[in-house]
Amino acid sequence: MNQDNVDKNEPTQAPENAVEEVVSGEVELDQGADEQGLDWKAYADELEAKLSAAEATIEAQKDSVLRAKADGENARRRAEQEIDKARKFALEKFAGELLNVVDNLERATLAADAENEAVKSLLEGVEMTHKSFISTFEKFGLETLDPQGEAFNPEHHQAMSMQESDEVAPNTVLAVMQKGYVLNGRLLRPAMVMVSRGGSNSVDTQA
């Protein structure tokens, strides 16, 4: 057999320490990374801390946005309530001044002689004017308090006098001396009334 052929076909033998050299090289690489100052665990901890801080900041900003939104909604509702209140009661002072006009029209109607032909047409004009006032009042939420025969209500009525009566229950309105008015549920002027009493029963005369 040709010695040259044998040498060429036999596999080359790896050095016995080849594996050790590879492993040794990897270890040296890792040691080299450490020598460059790269502490991967510390770096990961740092990133996690930054992530936690960012998440906390986002949550805080969410709370701030939600609070700002809630404050805005509350402010809007308060503004709407104030506008509604102003709309309802803007005419309160003006309507209060006109009540004297309505009272005078009612007095003129009661005092006039309806059978007198000389004043009949004038009386009709006064009555029409009075009805027009009342109709206009009602359009703007002004209601008339005419509690004849009703139970005395100290929230809406002012007792000007009291009189014993066996015909009605105690604390009943016997007569209305002056009508009252309510504007959108709020008392504008109490009705001035005469109230019945019986025995020891008494009435709160404050409106």
Side-chain angles (χ1 to χ4, degrees):
M1 179 180 293
N2 191 328
Q3 184 66 32
D4 293 337
N5 291 336
V6 173
D7 294 339
K8 291 179 181 180
N9 293 331
E10 287 183 356
T12 303
Q13 297 293 327
E16 295 179 357
N17 60 347
V19 176
E20 295 179 357
E21 290 179 355
V22 173
V23 173
S24 175
E26 292 178 352
V27 171
E28 290 177 357
L29 179 61
D30 290 342
Q31 290 175 349
D34 290 341
E35 290 174 356
Q36 294 176 8
L38 297 178
D39 188 340
W40 296 108
K41 184 178 185 306
Y43 184 59
D45 292 343
E46 182 182 355
L47 289 179
E48 185 175 356
K50 290 181 178 180
L51 178 59
S52 298
E55 291 176 345
T57 301
I58 292 173
E59 290 299 323
Q61 290 176 346
K62 283 182 179 179
D63 292 340
S64 298
V65 171
L66 291 176
R67 282 196 297 269
K69 183 177 180 181
D71 291 342
E73 288 294 326
N74 292 334
R76 182 183 61 80
R77 281 194 293 267
R78 285 195 297 269
E80 289 177 350
Q81 291 173 357
E82 290 298 325
I83 292 172
D84 186 58
K85 184 178 179 180
R87 185 184 298 113
K88 285 182 177 180
F89 303 112
L91 297 177
E92 183 173 1
K93 185 175 181 180
F94 180 66
E97 294 295 330
L98 289 179
L99 294 184
N100 290 330
V101 179
V102 175
D103 292 339
N104 290 333
L105 291 174
E106 290 180 351
R107 294 189 189 101
T109 302
L110 294 174
D113 184 3
E115 301 300 326
N116 189 338
E117 293 295 331
V119 299
K120 189 172 183 179
S121 59
L122 179 61
L123 179 60
E124 290 176 353
V126 172
E127 289 176 344
M128 289 181 62
T129 302
H130 177 261
K131 289 180 180 179
S132 178
F133 264 102
I134 298 301
S135 177
T136 302
F137 282 172
E138 290 175 349
K139 288 180 182 179
F140 290 93
L142 190 66
E143 302 176 14
T144 303
L145 295 176
D146 188 8
Q148 179 78 36
E150 298 178 5
F152 179 79
N153 180 358
E155 294 183 358
H156 288 166
H157 310 154
Q158 182 175 353
M160 305 303 295
S161 63
M162 299 179 66
Q163 180 176 322
E164 294 184 3
S165 175
D166 296 331
E167 298 179 358
V168 296
N171 298 341
T172 299
V173 176
L174 295 174
V176 178
M177 302 171 183
Q178 186 180 67
K179 294 177 183 178
Y181 292 90
V182 174
L183 178 61
N184 291 311
R186 185 161 70 180
L187 183 66
L188 184 61
R189 187 182 76 182
M192 298 182 181
V193 299
M194 177 189 293
V195 185
S196 67
R197 67 181 176 188
S200 60
N201 289 337
S202 61
V203 177
D204 181 0
T205 59
Q206 299 298 318

